C-alpha cells in the first residue's frame, strides 16, 4: 500500500466520521426542535385567555343552541371559546404533521382535548351552519383519537388521602 493509498483511506475515514457526526447532530437538533416546539405550544395552551375559553366551553355549552346563544348574547366569551378551539386545531395540525410527538401530545393534552371535544362539537355544529368550509379539520381528526386515548387511560378519582 502506497502513501497515497493510506492518505486516501484516511480521507475517506475522516469524511465518513464527519458525515456520521453531522447526522447525529441533525437528529439531535430535530429532537430538540420538536421538544422546543412542544414547549411553546404547551405555554400557549396554558395561556389564561385560552384556559378561560375552555372554562367557558365547559360551563356554558351543553348543546348547539347554547353555542348559538353564546355567540349571539356574549360575543366576547364566544371569541374566547373560539380561540381555545382554534389553538387545539393548530396543536392537532402539528401532531398530524409530526412536528409534535403524538404520544407526548396525548399524554400531556389528551385528557383535556377529550373533555373539550364533547362540548366543542356543539360549537362546530353552530359554526358549520354559516361556513362554506370545514372549521377546525385537524381538531376533528385528532379529537377522536384523544377521546379513545382518554378512555383507555382514565384513572379512578383519588380518595383524597
Amino acid at each position: 500500500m502506497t502513501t497515497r493509498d493510506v492518505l486516501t483511506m484516511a480521507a475517506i475515514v475522516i469524511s465518513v466520521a464527519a458525515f456520521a457526526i453531522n447526522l447525529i447532530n441533525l437528529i439531535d437538533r430535530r429532537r430538540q426542535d420538536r421538544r422546543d416546539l412542544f414547549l411553546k405550544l404547551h405555554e400557549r395552551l396554558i395561556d389564561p385567555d385560552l384556559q378561560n375559553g375552555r372554562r367557558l366551553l365547559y360551563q356554558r355549552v351543553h348543546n348547539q343552541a347554547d353555542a348559538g346563544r353564546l355567540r349571539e348574547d356574549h360575543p366576547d366569551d364566544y371569541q374566547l371559546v373560539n380561540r381555545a378551539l382554534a389553538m387545539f386545531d393548530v396543536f392537532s395540525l402539528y401532531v398530524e404533521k409530526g412536528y409534535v410527538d403524538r404520544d407526548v401530545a396525548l399524554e400531556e393534552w389528551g385528557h383535556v382535548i377529550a373533555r373539550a371535544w364533547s362540548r366543542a362539537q356543539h360549537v362546530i355544529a353552530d359554526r358549520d351552519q354559516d361556513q362554506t368550509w370545514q372549521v377546525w379539520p385537524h381538531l376533528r381528526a385528532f379529537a377522536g383519537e384523544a377521546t379513545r386515548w382518554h378512555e383507555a387511560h382514565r384513572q379512578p378519582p383519588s380518595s383524597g388521602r
Side-chain angles (χ1 to χ4, degrees), residues 34-35 37-39 41-42 45 87-88 90-114 142-143 145-147 149-150 153:
R34 289 178 78 194
R35 184 194 63 217
L37 176 60
F38 179 80
L39 181 60
L41 287 168
H42 179 76
L45 285 164
M87 190 63 207
F88 274 156
V90 170
F91 183 78
S92 300
L93 168 67
Y94 281 31
V95 171
E96 177 184 309
K97 296 292 185 183
Y99 304 149
V100 171
D101 182 82
R102 183 174 301 278
D103 292 334
V104 171
L106 287 168
E107 287 173 19
E108 192 63 26
W109 286 96
H111 295 295
V112 178
I113 292 172
F142 186 62
E145 182 177 351
T147 300
W149 182 90
H150 168 72
H153 292 84

Side-chain angles (χ1 to χ4, degrees), residues 65-134:
D66 287 345
R69 276 191 295 279
L70 186 64
R71 178 177 35 82
E72 293 295 324
D73 300 341
H74 305 281
D76 291 341
D77 289 347
Y78 185 80
Q79 181 62 27
L80 289 171
V81 169
N82 205 33
R83 286 183 61 219
L85 295 177
M87 190 63 207
F88 274 156
D89 188 60
V90 170
F91 183 78
S92 300
L93 168 67
Y94 281 31
V95 171
E96 177 184 309
K97 296 292 185 183
Y99 304 149
V100 171
D101 182 82
R102 183 174 301 278
D103 292 334
V104 171
L106 287 168
E107 287 173 19
E108 192 63 26
W109 286 96
H111 295 295
V112 178
I113 292 172
R115 180 174 178 229
W117 181 236
S118 64
R119 306 294 174 95
Q121 292 177 77
H122 303 307
V123 176
I124 290 171
D126 180 66
R127 289 206 48 193
D128 277 348
Q129 296 179 98
D130 301 326
Q131 303 298 331
T132 57
W133 70 93
Q134 186 182 55

Side-chain angles (χ1 to χ4, degrees), residues 11-23:
I12 291 171
V13 168
I14 290 170
S15 295
V16 169
F19 177 77
I21 290 169
N22 282 335
L23 184 60

